[in-house]
Amino acid sequence: TSSYPLFGDAGTATAMGFDEQAPEMFFDLNTDGSGYHHIIRKYGGFRHPIDGPEAFEFKDVPDAPGAKMRGVDSYVAGAPIMEFAMREVKPSVLRVLGEAGLSPEQVDFMFAHQANRLINETVRKMAKIAPEKHPYSLTHYGNTSAPSIPLTMVAGAAQALRERSVTSLLTGFGVGLSWGSAVIRTRQISCPPIAEI
């Protein structure tokens, strides 16, 4: 069987300025190209342009007996992606917290890529982040891909980000396979309202 993920279309812009007095930021960034085939859309890029009918032919999905898909369809191997997230994302979160010298209680918000609520909740619980510190935009906007973390910051914590100093834990994962986490501290940043069109 096949399923269709709910994707949203969004864009964000982040402007940063240099401040010698700003607190240090911490990053844990990783990639492993051997898992590229677990999240893929075969046709539509430079390597396989859509220039003939082959991109639209239904073919068997190798690791999903009975399922068929076209080369222009997005493919996500659910079980390997879940396994990957549990194996890599949690340690990334814990490493970056360790580098920053922070306990989970010292984090004001955890902003995670909004691809899968089950993965996010599992990572949140493993990292011992309180649920009220982990807002979601997935339920309203779907998976918006790369913009999902800044979108969630504005959708779920704009008032706090505007009004006070905030320590945020960011974490994301996806195509590649790639994953990363960061700890940033912000102070009364500008968060314009979301424009829905």
Side-chain angles (χ1 to χ4, degrees):
T1 62
S2 296
S3 61
Y4 290 89
L6 176 60
F7 283 95
D9 192 10
T12 63
T14 302
M16 299 177 69
F18 179 72
D19 180 354
E20 288 186 359
Q21 307 304 315
E24 192 173 0
M25 295 186 287
F26 299 87
F27 297 90
D28 181 76
L29 307 175
N30 309 273
T31 188
D32 176 3
S34 67
Y36 78 93
H37 57 285
H38 292 311
I39 305 176
I40 194 167
R41 183 176 175 212
K42 185 174 179 182
Y43 284 85
F46 180 77
R47 183 174 293 167
H48 297 286
I50 300 173
D51 57 5
E54 184 181 46
F56 299 95
E57 293 173 3
F58 282 94
K59 296 183 178 177
D60 292 332
V61 178
D63 56 352
K68 294 186 179 291
M69 63 182 294
R70 303 169 303 166
V72 294
D73 294 330
S74 296
Y75 173 71
V76 178
I81 294 302
M82 175 63 93
E83 180 185 327
F84 148 72
M86 297 305 97
R87 183 180 68 246
E88 304 293 358
V89 179
K90 174 202 168 191
S92 174
V93 165
L94 297 179
R95 276 194 304 270
V96 80
L97 284 174
E99 285 293 318
L102 295 175
S103 68
E105 294 76 26
Q106 292 172 296
V107 171
D108 295 306
F109 292 102
M110 176 179 172
F111 299 108
H113 170 46
Q114 302 287 293
N116 182 297
R117 189 176 182 107
L118 176 59
I119 291 173
N120 288 1
E121 279 299 295
T122 303
V123 171
R124 178 192 66 74
K125 290 173 184 175
M126 289 176 157
K128 297 182 169 61
I129 301 292
E132 62 272 14
K133 294 182 175 184
H134 188 252
Y136 278 92
S137 62
L138 179 66
T139 52
H140 189 75
Y141 299 106
N143 178 353
T144 56
S145 192
S148 75
I149 291 176
L151 174 64
T152 303
M153 292 173 77
V154 177
Q159 184 174 349
L161 290 165
R162 288 187 195 114
E163 293 178 354
R164 60 185 175 89
S165 294
V166 171
T167 298
S168 297
L169 168 63
L170 317 177
T171 190
F173 57 91
V175 173
L177 299 169
S178 55
W179 66 101
S181 302
V183 168
I184 62 171
R185 295 176 175 93
T186 58
R187 184 181 67 250
Q188 295 176 314
I189 62 174
S190 175
C191 289
I194 294 170
E196 296 187 30
I197 54 173

